[in-house]
Amino acid sequence: MTELQNIEGQLQRFRLRVWIALGVVLVALGLIGARMYVLQILRHEALLTQAESNRTAVLPIPPPRGRILDRHGVVLADNQPTFTLEIIPAQAGRLQETLDAIAELIEISPRDLRRFQRLVAESRRFDSLPLRTRLTAEEMSVMAAHLYRLPGVTIQARSLRHYPLGETASHVIGHVGRINQREQEMMADWPPERRSNYRGTDHIGKLGIEQSYEEHLHGTTGFERVETTATGRAVRSLEITPPVPGDSVRLTIDARLQHLVERLYGDRRGALVAIDPRNGDILAFVSMPTFNPNLFVEGIDAESWRALNESIDRPLLNRALRGTYPPGSTYKPFMALAGLETGSRKPSTTIHDPGFWVFGNHRYRSVGERSLGMVDLRRSIVVSSNVYYYTLANEMGIDAIHDFMKPLGFGQHTGIDLVGEAKGILPSPAWKRSTFKRPEQQRWYAGETISVGIGQGYNSFTMLQLASAMATLAHHGVRHTPHLGLSIHTPQDRQGRPIYRAAGTPLGYRPEHLRAVLDAMEAVTTEGTSARVFAGAPYRSGGKTGTAQAVSIGQRERYDAAKLAEHQRDHSLYVAFAPVEEPTVALAVIVENAGFGSASAAPIARRVFDYLLLGLYPSEEDIAATQKGQSAAPIGQQRPISEVPWPGSD
């Protein structure tokens, strides 16, 4: 009996275990069923997409960058298709061994290696960095046959930026370069849609128009969806959204005129800005010396960078935009107008100029202390009387001078469509208080106003500001914002749309006052300091020469260029407009450390006017003489500009 009871107990325990096991199985089957329901029904679309993405990849396609053209359609910047040998350092293993292996297959120059090493130091390890660009067909074949044993090494089809005119207009055009760490941090603050548009792009505009019009030039990134293997190798293209090329930007400058002016400078330093006073179009924007922007496209090597950056001539400085100089006597026409407009002077007011002026215990000199006798407004400009403007500045006072010059754009940003414009200095007591720290330095002294009146002292302006102010006077006192962008052209729109449409700003000068000043400037070219330069010109122009100190003379009694180093000698300046009847061009030009304005700056202005007004190009003999500062009126046989090849066409 006891044995039967034991058997019955064992059966009950067995049945309990069976039911428990069955319950566990049913629960497990239920969980599996529920999971299958979630995966197959509820998450079907999401998992299908994920599965699809595991075998596909979306690759960005960088857009072709828009071209930059001059006002006549001459190409200043375009793109060249090329094949590039690139390395991803993070995948290359021992990088030096990889470089040695590549050097056994194709030529790798020391310049290529220096540039690559600099890129390695500046970039992330998983970036694809170019080692050699513009591979030949033979080099591509050799490398393609050995890529299997070179991890991290690839051959990429790239479109490299190219500047066909080389050094011509380089400060205007600027250049592109690889996106650096600072720019990546800046891009992190961009709106997501703009940031995503740079996927796959490793270059960006760095200077000039390339930088200012980056959003137009860049274009819209395309995408390609490809099928990949488990190792990530693309095997089939599934879908392509083609990129949209960037817009082309047409500029206001004339490339042939730009090239001519750069030739006229030769090895000298300086800047020239020529503006159409009717609308603010910049016809030439020259900074000398220039540089070759093609050096920067693939990443400039250390040796080339050192040569540019450490040169005493500072070729990377955009002198037209960022170089600031005392205007010297080119400031006198503006001071003359200030005297008329404020009622401090009349055109007929005469001042005796004995060659110097004494104020307090200081003797303010004229050049050579030559007596000019009685001078009125006209003669003060024609013979460049310092005494006339010493006394005018003293009568007006520094605040009145500042308030008159500010609307003309002196010491102000002009609003040009380039990044990095220098503001310069339009001095005033308020400026001095905010600039200097010591109380004795912050005080404005009456004697400082005297120097300001002849364009010296604290005055410091760019050639862009000086040319813009000259254009304002020439165009009846109406100021236009100077600009380089003329029109934007999309790939579908060859006609283009204008960039600058703003109306000019009238400054309210009395016409008779403007006429008095401009007539005096015309007399400078017929009987004054630039008469020899403009002898025989079939058009009427106005101008004013200037000589500005590069360094303070200090206690020296006389200025003697022969006793100074070349970089310390006076600058040669000239401001001008033409034709007198209805000016179509106004300009400011400086030749650094070249002495009197009539010797070096004015001859360049004459040849610009001949080009624009007469359609004439100087002879090679004349260009050579101008480069040496040994020309006045043109010599040799001038040529019609139609017979002169466009830069880069030969």
Side-chain angles (χ1 to χ4, degrees), residues 32-164:
I32 292 173
R35 183 61 177 166
M36 291 179 62
Y37 176 80
V38 170
L39 296 177
Q40 295 292 333
I41 305 300
L42 299 182
R43 298 185 58 193
H44 171 76
E45 293 295 333
L47 293 174
L48 180 64
T49 301
Q50 183 176 340
E52 184 71 12
S53 66
N54 285 336
R55 70 178 185 89
T56 64
V58 178
L59 306 177
I61 307 175
R65 195 169 178 84
R67 300 193 301 172
I68 301 175
L69 315 168
D70 88 331
R71 68 185 302 116
H72 301 293
V74 176
V75 177
L76 305 176
D78 61 2
N79 308 296
Q80 283 187 340
T82 185
F83 288 95
T84 302
L85 182 67
E86 301 187 4
I87 301 178
I88 302 175
Q91 300 177 4
R94 296 181 177 178
L95 187 57
Q96 188 57 51
E97 292 181 3
T98 300
L99 293 173
D100 293 340
I102 294 174
E104 294 176 358
L105 301 173
I106 63 173
E107 180 183 358
I108 305 296
S109 70
R111 182 179 183 274
D112 293 328
L113 282 174
R114 288 194 299 267
R115 184 183 63 239
F116 178 77
Q117 289 165 354
R118 186 176 67 83
L119 290 175
V120 169
E122 294 177 352
S123 306
R124 297 169 298 184
R125 286 185 53 78
F126 50 83
D127 286 341
S128 184
L129 306 177
L131 175 63
R132 263 289 311 277
T133 58
R134 298 182 174 89
L135 295 175
T136 65
E138 181 180 354
E139 289 172 330
M140 286 179 55
S141 299
V142 171
M143 289 306 306
H146 292 83
L147 287 180
Y148 73 94
R149 65 183 183 88
L150 296 171
V153 180
T154 61
I155 296 175
Q156 299 289 344
R158 300 288 189 186
S159 179
L160 289 181
R161 199 61 160 169
H162 177 60
Y163 303 98

Side-chain angles (χ1 to χ4, degrees), residues 321 323-327 331 334 401-415 421-428 431 434-435 452 458-469 479:
L321 185 73
T324 57
Y325 310 87
Y331 203 49
F334 305 102
I401 296 173
H402 173 274
D403 293 346
F404 181 85
M405 298 299 177
K406 184 176 180 179
L408 278 167
F410 289 113
Q412 316 299 314
H413 291 130
T414 65
E421 178 185 6
K423 190 175 181 180
I425 298 172
L426 179 63
S428 68
W431 164 82
S434 65
T435 302
V452 167
Y458 293 114
N459 282 325
S460 185
F461 310 129
T462 65
M463 287 303 104
L464 174 61
Q465 292 171 346
L466 203 54
S468 178
R479 185 178 184 276

Side-chain angles (χ1 to χ4, degrees), residues 446-461:
E448 294 173 323
T449 305
I450 311 304
S451 297
V452 167
I454 63 165
Q456 295 287 171
Y458 293 114
N459 282 325
S460 185
F461 310 129

Side-chain angles (χ1 to χ4, degrees), residues 309-451:
N309 196 46
E310 297 179 1
S311 170
I312 191 174
D313 292 330
R314 303 179 69 189
L316 296 178
L317 171 65
N318 188 338
R319 286 168 162 82
L321 185 73
R322 297 189 55 78
T324 57
Y325 310 87
S329 292
T330 62
Y331 203 49
K332 290 174 180 175
F334 305 102
M335 281 295 299
L337 182 62
L340 296 176
E341 286 289 313
T342 59
S344 301
R345 293 284 167 88
K346 295 180 180 179
S348 58
T349 303
T350 57
I351 300 293
H352 181 254
D353 182 350
F356 62 91
W357 189 63
V358 177
F359 181 79
N361 296 322
H362 191 81
R363 184 184 180 100
Y364 293 87
R365 301 182 301 270
S366 295
V367 177
E369 295 197 11
R370 179 170 56 93
S371 175
L372 299 176
M374 301 301 293
V375 293
D376 58 8
L377 182 142
R378 181 181 186 277
R379 192 160 186 267
S380 74
I381 292 177
V382 173
V383 300
S384 199
S385 167
N386 280 358
V387 172
Y388 185 94
Y389 294 98
Y390 287 150
T391 58
L392 175 59
N394 185 54
E395 293 168 19
M396 288 184 61
I398 189 60
D399 288 322
I401 296 173
H402 173 274
D403 293 346
F404 181 85
M405 298 299 177
K406 184 176 180 179
L408 278 167
F410 289 113
Q412 316 299 314
H413 291 130
T414 65
I416 189 175
D417 45 351
L418 286 181
V419 176
E421 178 185 6
K423 190 175 181 180
I425 298 172
L426 179 63
S428 68
W431 164 82
K432 201 175 183 189
R433 286 193 298 270
S434 65
T435 302
F436 296 100
K437 295 182 179 179
R438 297 202 301 269
E440 62 273 18
Q441 292 177 313
Q442 294 177 337
R443 179 184 174 188
W444 185 271
Y445 297 93
E448 294 173 323
T449 305
I450 311 304
S451 297

